[in-house]
Amino acid sequence: MLNYLWAFMILAGILWAVPGGNVAAVAQGVLGAAGEAVSLCVTMLGVISLWTGILKVGEKAGLIDWLAGKMTPVLRFLFPGIPEGHPANRFIAVNMIANILGLGWAATPAGLKAMEELAGLEEERREQSKNAVPPAAASREMCTFLIINISSLQLIPVNMIAYRTQYGSRSPAAIVGPAIAATAVSTAVAVLFCRLMERKDRSGR
Amino acid sequence: MMKLLLYLSDCMLPFMIFYIVGFGLLMKRPVYDDFVEGAKEGARTVLGIMPTLVGLMTGVGVLRTSGLLEFLVGRMDGWLEKVGFPPQLLPAALVKLFSSSAATGLALDIFKEYGPDSRLGLTVSIMLSCTETVFYTMSIYFMSVKVKRTRYTLPGALLATGAGIAASIWLGNYIGL
């Protein structure tokens, strides 16, 4: 995907520059952009190292596991169809907590395990012919899990703060509150949508 | 309400650092050693994405200096403004559905052009912070369990993303005054 996107930017841009007489500007722009990327990384080195360091402290102290344990009521509400004590619960909880903290690398492996467990759960349902979806189709829980995941759960957008610092923002962290509010809106819409679809889904079968 | 939001912004980072370090100490962890270990990983991550950033910022640079970006955005002016969507932010919003780093490249361009504290700069910051790469995420998660019929996942994900974008525009206008 990115291969085409990047090729399009470069090729279409250069082609467009020729009739517009902007070739010289493009030449300058290319060299400028490359240098700028490096200076951006220097700023990010500071902010990101600080943050990954802090999060490592939390991770080693068992913060993810501790918080994941607190997620039970949320999971019962979002996924009433997953039996209590099913391993999917744990993986989903870890994935969500890691996303909330902005630990992308911890979120994805747990998320993939959760999908695997959800696939297993649906397989069991098929065997017991308890209104399950056909194979190769997403189960209700998978849809809910992914929609909520994609609605974004991150509390502190550290990368964005680093970028804003680099470009001379007067208060780089000013967007944290609004970003949490916007994330709350998108997640609320996601939860509402999943609820509605689940109801429709159940009555349709 | 807005004051509260901005106050929350300022408190969030120090509070979280306080909470995490305090938690680590309570758990009797060597917190500074843990911190250094994590910071090393972070530094490695940043150096790892440097080539990506060079590539993408070059791509966006070409797109902008050639005048193509301006042309594309200019095509969409009319009807976007009618619904209150800043046309300059459309490329970043669309690209974010596929690739986070490419969207970042476009956001940095907005910072450069209008400044990170401008209305557009604030809006794009919030927008990219409250959305995910819809198509990328769906493809890795569903591919891992060989699901082909994704049913209502895509409409739901797009609806949530749309709601996030709408909220960002509103919030960006509000605090950008």
Side-chain angles (χ1 to χ4, degrees):
Chain A
M1 187 63 82
L2 202 47
N3 289 319
Y4 290 112
L5 203 62
W6 190 72
F8 168 81
M9 288 199 253
I10 301 272
L11 300 182
I14 292 178
L15 279 180
W16 186 262
V18 176
N22 288 329
V23 187
V26 169
Q28 257 182 3
V30 169
L31 297 173
E36 209 177 311
V38 176
S39 60
L40 174 65
C41 282
V42 173
T43 306
M44 284 181 67
L45 265 177
V47 181
I48 303 295
S49 304
L50 165 71
W51 191 241
T52 51
I54 292 292
L55 287 177
K56 183 59 106 189
V57 174
E59 202 186 316
K60 291 259 176 161
L63 189 64
I64 298 184
D65 290 328
W66 185 72
L67 288 173
K70 304 256 165 218
M71 288 284 286
T72 313
V74 179
L75 292 187
R76 293 267 60 79
F77 173 76
L78 288 176
F79 304 96
I82 305 179
E84 251 171 276
H86 193 279
N89 284 312
R90 220 197 109 57
F91 291 124
I92 292 175
V94 170
N95 172 272
M96 286 185 169
I97 293 295
N99 269 327
I100 290 172
L101 294 176
L103 293 160
W105 65 90
T108 310
L112 294 178
K113 293 293 276 181
M115 288 300 275
E116 218 171 88
E117 291 294 341
L118 291 178
L121 184 67
E122 202 61 19
E123 189 59 48
E124 267 170 49
R125 283 185 191 147
R126 270 193 287 277
E127 274 160 21
Q128 298 163 5
S129 61
K130 279 201 287 196
N131 60 28
V133 295
S139 69
R140 274 201 297 274
E141 283 83 10
M142 289 182 191
C143 292
T144 305
F145 176 53
L146 273 187
I147 292 172
I148 304 240
N149 203 320
I150 289 173
S151 80
S152 172
L153 302 165
Q154 191 183 28
L155 226 39
I156 300 194
V158 191
N159 285 351
M160 195 48 85
I161 296 175
Y163 303 143
R164 293 171 55 78
T165 308
Q166 168 70 13
Y167 285 90
S169 167
R170 270 173 287 116
S171 74
I175 51 132
V176 175
I180 292 176
T183 300
V185 168
S186 65
T187 304
V189 168
V191 171
L192 217 68
F193 179 85
C194 292
R195 276 280 131 138
L196 280 174
M197 288 312 283
E198 272 172 33
R199 190 162 303 167
K200 214 174 119 199
D201 211 34
R202 217 165 277 156
S203 61
R205 242 175 260 272
Chain B
M1 151 81 180
M2 260 314 136
K3 275 231 173 81
L4 183 81
L5 217 53
L6 290 177
Y7 182 68
L8 186 71
S9 298
D10 289 331
C11 295
M12 210 50 206
L13 206 57
F15 278 17
M16 256 182 98
I17 293 176
F18 179 89
Y19 181 81
I20 292 176
V21 174
F23 188 85
L25 217 53
L26 272 181
M27 293 292 156
K28 303 199 168 57
R29 293 288 316 170
V31 284
Y32 186 66
D33 296 340
D34 290 345
F35 172 84
V36 172
E37 188 191 330
K40 263 185 208 154
E41 277 172 28
R44 258 198 301 274
T45 311
V46 173
L47 288 179
I49 61 167
M50 195 174 75
T52 319
L53 269 178
V54 170
L56 286 166
M57 287 180 75
T58 306
V60 175
V62 171
L63 212 54
R64 191 170 56 97
T65 49
S66 66
L68 182 58
L69 191 61
E70 210 180 320
F71 173 79
L72 291 177
V73 168
R75 294 291 93 182
M76 300 174 283
D77 256 15
W79 60 272
L80 278 177
E81 248 151 29
K82 245 174 245 159
V83 294
F85 190 102
Q88 297 90 333
L89 302 188
L90 188 69
L94 286 181
V95 165
K96 176 70 195 240
L97 299 176
F98 302 95
S99 158
S100 193
S101 43
T104 300
L106 289 161
L108 297 178
D109 198 58
I110 299 280
F111 289 168
K112 226 182 315 178
E113 194 87 349
Y114 305 93
D117 296 324
S118 66
R119 187 174 62 88
L120 287 175
L122 287 166
T123 306
V124 80
S125 307
I126 302 168
M127 191 185 282
L128 294 194
S129 303
C130 76
T131 50
E132 284 282 344
T133 46
V134 176
F135 291 100
Y136 173 77
T137 309
M138 274 183 66
S139 67
I140 55 165
Y141 277 76
F142 276 134
M143 228 146 53
S144 76
V145 287
K146 299 189 180 65
V147 163
K148 296 213 176 60
R149 273 184 51 214
T150 60
R151 296 171 68 221
Y152 58 85
T153 312
L154 185 60
L158 290 177
L159 187 73
T161 304
I165 291 177
S168 321
I169 292 172
W170 189 81
L171 287 160
N173 281 337
Y174 211 91
I175 58 176
L177 288 176

